[in-house]
Amino acid sequence: MISFFVCLALLIGGFAVYGRVAEKSFGPDDRKPPALTMTDGSDYVPMGTARIFLIQLLNIAGLGPIFGALAGACWGPSVFLWITLGTLLGGGVHDYMVGMMSMRHKGASVSELAGTYLGSVMKQVMRVFSVVLLVLVGVTFSTGPANLLAMLTPQVLDAKFWLVVVLIYYFIATFVPIDKVIGKIYPIFGICLIIMALGVGGSILLGGYHIPEITLSNLHPNGTPIWPVMFISVACGAISGFHATQSPLMARCLTTEKDGRKVFYGAMVAEGIIALIWAAAGVAFYNGTGGLLTALGNGQSAVVYEICFTLLGPVGAVIAMIGVIACPISSADTAYRSARLTLADWFQYDQKPVKNRLILTIPLLGVGTVLTQIDVQIIWRYFSWSNQTLAMIALWAASVYLFRKKRLYWITALPATFMSAVSCTYILMADEGLRLSIAIAYPAGLIFAALCLGTFVFTCIMGKGKHADASSAEAPYVS
């Protein structure tokens, strides 16, 4: 249990300490952000910082820090270490840099930012990659909430009924002005999410459950290797490329750059705390990784429901389940919204007219509806890898940005290198990848990471980037 409290303290302290290091590395100033210079009543809408923080938290959280943390807990308390260090050194920096870069480029999506700093080829790759990832997120976070809602309602209101309701809501929330639905109800759901996490965590601590201490031993009952599978499975609870698609949404609403640390880095730390609580709850509630893995065989939604109902009772379980349901719904609708804006940036399609928004929204939701008929576990496996690959690319783009600004670029280059190794190693050995042996995948992943780092060093530090005009890093994105 001591390890749990140490990690919790590190997350809270890390926001104050390392968050300021990231902030100083970027250098926010008093310039007017796009929320004030490009207000359009639809996507560029000024909102208060506290409200934006809660929206950002719900946008990035989804089922990730809950389902991902429970999956990661199957390796034992070693997952506590990854959640903590991944959040502070990777995820928080990643979310903050992308959000702030977007503010400097008129709210540009991550694909446009990648193109600006990694080249036109990467821009095209990221445009396709981002839209596909966002639709997968929308699909994954459609079936999960529908299943949970079905558990709380009469049998006649089954998962199919709730799936239709959820998809109708996504359609509405994707194209209406961001302050009309998202800006009004997300802060309320954000409070539910926080209450849920505190309730589950408090019940574990006060209910006599045993939270084991951190060990680097692999405690997975099936012997599944920690590297790199655990780092892919946890995903949103430590670092997530999906967040890079969400930060630009709030970059279009934040009224001052100096609150960026509170919103972008702070929301990631809050998500890390939620993931830490659920990882501890999973391994403690089922008295070890064996019991947890067996329970997960009945579905992650069932595990969440059992933990909430047992620890908090009927009333507490309903409150907790509302948080768990709101979490993925909030991520999915903003995923579709981000996909719409990514396509709009791609084709330079003005989104102020309602008609233009509908022209992009309808086919996106149509594709998402069809994909909900596929086993969500299959979709999640591909999402997890593509998610971390997107984080890797976003971190390399941020590294180039910081280099051109003559800032501390190693704060992003080191986690970018780490995530390069994770993503490459996983896709080489995974069932949905090339299924190569560890003897090949491990060294190949390390070589790929070294090549990425070497390319960055040669291109930026020793090559043409050496003479780059620092002011070019702030050249506005031209839509």
Side-chain angles (χ1 to χ4, degrees):
M1 189 173 293
I2 295 176
S3 298
F4 172 80
F5 282 113
V6 169
C7 289
L8 183 61
L10 285 173
L11 283 169
I12 296 172
F15 167 73
V17 178
Y18 202 72
R20 291 194 182 279
V21 173
E23 182 179 52
K24 186 176 180 180
S25 298
F26 184 86
D29 55 34
D30 294 322
R31 73 185 65 196
K32 284 188 176 182
L36 300 179
T37 61
M38 300 176 63
T39 306
D40 64 359
S42 175
D43 299 305
Y44 293 85
V45 180
M47 289 191 285
T49 301
R51 178 178 295 185
I52 291 176
F53 168 83
L54 289 172
I55 295 173
Q56 175 74 0
L57 174 60
L58 286 170
N59 285 353
I60 66 176
L63 289 173
I66 300 172
F67 282 11
L70 289 172
C74 290
W75 281 273
S78 58
V79 73
F80 297 170
L81 199 59
W82 168 234
I83 290 172
T84 303
L85 297 180
T87 294
L88 296 177
L89 305 180
V93 173
H94 168 276
D95 293 9
Y96 176 75
M97 292 299 172
V98 172
M100 298 303 292
M101 288 167 62
S102 181
M103 289 184 74
R104 290 282 173 91
H105 290 74
K106 298 185 178 181
S109 60
V110 65
S111 57
E112 308 307 311
L113 295 174
T116 299
Y117 296 103
L118 299 179
S120 58
V121 173
M122 185 56 69
K123 177 186 289 187
Q124 301 305 324
V125 171
M126 284 290 285
R127 282 170 169 171
V128 175
F129 199 80
S130 297
V131 173
V132 171
L133 174 66
L134 288 165
V135 172
L136 290 180
V137 170
V139 173
T140 302
F141 292 164
S142 296
T143 55
N147 291 332
L148 292 173
L149 284 166
M151 292 180 182
L152 298 175
T153 54
Q155 189 172 2
V156 65
L157 303 179
D158 59 10
K160 291 183 179 179
F161 168 82
W162 284 114
L163 179 60
V164 172
V165 173
V166 168
L167 289 172
I168 291 173
Y169 165 76
Y170 289 165
F171 173 75
I172 296 171
T174 298
F175 79 90
V176 300
I178 195 167
D179 60 328
K180 300 305 180 185
V181 175
I182 293 174
K184 292 185 182 299
I185 66 175
Y186 278 27
I188 299 173
F189 285 147
I191 294 172
C192 291
L193 177 61
I194 293 170
I195 291 174
M196 176 269 295
L198 293 176
V200 170
S203 297
I204 287 290
L205 295 175
L206 300 177
Y209 292 90
H210 172 66
I211 301 177
E213 304 299 339
I214 290 177
T215 172
L216 298 182
S217 300
N218 184 357
L219 301 182
H220 198 290
N222 294 337
T224 305
I226 292 178
W227 175 270
V229 186
M230 186 184 74
F231 300 90
I232 292 289
S233 300
V234 175
C236 297
I239 181 172
S240 167
F242 171 66
H243 299 184
T245 67
Q246 299 302 289
S247 291
L249 291 180
M250 294 300 96
R252 302 181 185 208
C253 300
L254 196 58
T255 57
T256 172
E257 285 191 353
K258 294 185 177 180
D259 282 345
R261 180 177 67 91
K262 299 176 185 176
V263 170
F264 302 121
Y265 198 97
M268 182 63 240
V269 170
E271 184 178 16
I273 292 173
I274 292 171
L276 182 67
I277 289 173
W278 275 98
V283 74
F285 183 84
Y286 292 103
N287 196 30
T289 59
L292 174 59
L293 185 63
T294 299
L296 287 173
N298 297 321
Q300 292 169 312
S301 297
V303 170
V304 172
Y305 184 81
E306 183 179 12
I307 290 176
C308 290
F309 187 84
T310 303
L311 295 181
L312 304 176
V315 176
V318 171
I319 295 175
M321 292 299 284
I322 289 174
V324 175
I325 291 167
C327 203
I329 286 178
S330 65
S331 288
D333 64 21
T334 52
Y336 282 120
R337 191 182 192 94
S338 296
R340 171 175 67 80
L341 293 173
T342 299
L343 290 173
D345 284 351
W346 184 349
F347 297 107
Q348 301 182 17
Y349 200 54
D350 183 15
Q351 291 296 281
K352 188 173 182 178
V354 174
K355 180 187 71 173
N356 290 4
R357 281 179 257 155
L358 286 173
I359 288 174
L360 295 181
T361 299
I362 291 174
L364 280 172
L365 266 295
V367 171
T369 300
V370 172
L371 291 178
T372 57
Q373 305 308 305
I374 300 175
D375 183 0
V376 69
Q377 295 301 322
I378 296 175
I379 293 177
W380 182 260
R381 288 202 299 268
Y382 287 100
F383 160 74
S384 296
W385 172 76
S386 57
N387 185 39
Q388 302 303 63
T389 301
L390 179 57
M392 170 196 78
I393 297 171
L395 283 168
W396 282 122
S399 300
V400 176
Y401 173 91
L402 291 174
F403 172 80
R404 293 185 183 179
K405 285 280 292 177
K406 300 181 180 179
R407 299 282 185 172
L408 181 63
Y409 49 81
W410 290 113
I411 196 172
T412 51
L414 292 179
T417 303
F418 180 83
M419 294 309 300
S420 298
V422 169
S423 296
C424 181
T425 304
Y426 182 81
I427 200 61
L428 289 176
M429 62 182 287
D431 288 340
E432 60 270 28
L434 299 180
R435 301 185 182 185
L436 299 178
S437 67
I438 287 177
I440 297 175
Y442 278 17
L446 294 176
I447 291 172
F448 175 75
L451 288 174
C452 289
L453 179 60
T455 301
F456 170 73
V457 170
F458 178 79
T459 303
C460 289
I461 301 176
M462 300 176 63
K464 294 181 180 180
K466 179 179 178 181
H467 305 291
D469 181 2
S471 64
S472 65
E474 296 182 7
Y477 163 65
V478 179
S479 62

